[in-house]
Structure formats: structure tokens, C-alpha cells
Amino acid sequence: TVVTTDAIVIATGATARRLPVGDRYWQRGVSACAVCDGAAPVFRKKPLVVVGGGDSSLEEALFLTKFASKVIVVHRRDTLRASKIMQARAKRNAKIEFLYSHEIVDTHGDERGLLSGVVAQNVKTGEQVQLAAAGLFFAIGHEPNVKFLNGQVELDKHDNYIVTQPDSTATSVPGVFAAGDVQDRKWRQAITAAGTGAMAALEVEAF
């Protein structure tokens, strides 16, 4: 089917990157959005695990300390990639612990089918450790959903987000606009996506 139009808004979002573990507990303790899910009663006063070593992972860990008994940040490298100010902020928080040179290799749950723990493996020695956890949060980035475009609009060279003009949702192609997480590498919130959606609608109307 071919559809013709004078203007179009691309709002296909971005998919959170996940590790190949924990699928059986997805949305039953495993999540890729601490801000979205972290306040759920199932996580309150429970140990939680955050996977990642960048600013996003530490931001999520800090957010989760509002609800968790403790938060363990698991990172596969010896050092964090996060900015120094974010590292200092996280390390000052008594509820945050760090497990370096480890990756999550398995998960297990309770009789209700909810996550109850994870298995972390040392990437250097292969030694495994069991961690009690009611929540496992992936904070390892997002992948904008742009493969279907086949390079027809300009993408950021580093992370493939659609490039829009300053203070606009216009892309490199006249009449093609982008809104939401597909062009937003920083905020990725429903309210900011809705805001750029409104901007795109107004720009389409004026196009």
C-alpha cells in the first residue's frame, strides 16, 4: 500500500537496550525504566539492582534509593563511565553499593512469579555471586527505532537518533518531522515526548 501525504511526523520512539537475561520476569521485577516503575509497591524497602556504568545508571540508582532498602550498581568494567560529579553523588549515598567487573547472567523468582534474585558473574574469574533483588533495572542505553527509514533522513552519527533543527521538530527532509524519543536522547519522558508531539503537529499544520 502506498500512501501519499504533504507532511509526516515520525514518532516511533526508542527501545531500551536489555541484556539476554530476565525475560521471564520482564515487568515482574525486571524493568528498563526506574522512573516509570521504581515507585511500585513491590520494590519498596527491598534490595534492587541497576545494570550500567554511565550517568543514566547512577541517576536511576539515586532515584531508586527513595524506595529501596539498598541499590547495587553492577558494572562489567573496573571503573564507571559516569561523570565525576555523578559518581561522587552516588558514592556519597549510603544506600548505593557497587559491584565492579561483574555482569548479570541469570535471574530467579519466588512462588508468585516475581523476581527475587539475580546471579552476577565476575568477567575476569568466572566466579558467581547470588544477589537478593526484588528489582533488576537495565540502564544501558536506548536504540531509536529508525531502521525502517533506511537512511532517508539525517541521523546522529554516534547513536542514530533523528537529527532535528534547533527549536524545531523538522528533519533534514522538508515535510518530514520527528517527535518523541526517536529524536530525544536526553529526557525520554512521556511528557517531553508529548510536548514535541504538539510542536510537530503545529509545524505540520503550518507546512
Side-chain angles (χ1 to χ4, degrees):
T1 301
V2 177
V3 178
T4 60
T5 180
D6 293 327
I8 188 170
V9 177
I10 301 171
T12 49
T15 301
R17 296 190 182 103
R18 292 159 57 179
L19 297 176
V21 294
D23 284 349
R24 56 186 160 168
Y25 300 113
W26 182 249
Q27 295 303 315
R28 299 185 66 80
V30 179
S31 171
C33 182
V35 174
C36 309
D37 302 325
V42 69
F43 298 132
R44 290 182 179 270
K45 297 182 180 180
K46 302 286 182 60
L48 305 176
V49 170
V50 173
V51 176
D55 280 353
S56 294
S57 65
L58 298 191
E59 287 172 6
E60 299 218 341
L62 285 163
F63 175 80
L64 290 170
T65 59
K66 299 176 183 179
F67 315 104
S69 59
K70 69 176 179 179
V71 178
I72 304 172
V73 177
V74 178
H75 186 42
R76 68 187 320 276
R77 294 184 174 85
D78 293 332
T79 57
L80 299 170
R81 294 180 291 103
S83 62
K84 290 183 179 180
I85 189 169
M86 283 302 301
Q87 291 190 45
R89 192 175 299 167
K91 290 175 180 178
R92 282 198 304 267
N93 194 306
K95 282 190 173 183
I96 297 180
E97 301 176 6
F98 296 89
L99 184 60
Y100 297 105
S101 300
H102 280 73
E103 59 186 3
I104 304 301
V105 295
D106 200 6
T107 55
H108 48 83
D110 59 20
E111 65 280 357
R112 299 171 297 168
L114 299 176
L115 182 77
S116 62
V118 302
V119 180
Q121 180 172 291
N122 189 305
V123 298
K124 297 178 180 178
T125 66
E127 183 180 357
Q128 295 185 346
V129 58
Q130 301 277 344
L131 302 175
L136 171 63
F137 294 84
F138 298 126
I140 52 178
H142 287 72
E143 187 71 32
N145 301 319
V146 295
K147 289 182 180 179
F148 71 99
L149 294 172
N150 295 317
Q152 295 178 84
V153 300
E154 182 184 358
L155 305 177
D156 184 275
K157 294 179 180 179
H158 300 292
D159 47 22
N160 284 336
Y161 284 87
I162 294 178
V163 175
T164 54
Q165 297 176 16
D167 299 319
S168 172
T169 62
T171 71
S172 59
V173 179
V176 178
F177 302 85
D181 290 3
V182 75
Q183 54 83 57
D184 176 15
R185 69 177 51 79
K186 183 174 183 180
W187 304 110
R188 297 191 300 272
Q189 299 297 312
I191 193 168
T192 53
T196 55
M199 290 170 58
L202 292 169
E203 290 191 278
V204 165
E205 186 178 29
F207 180 73

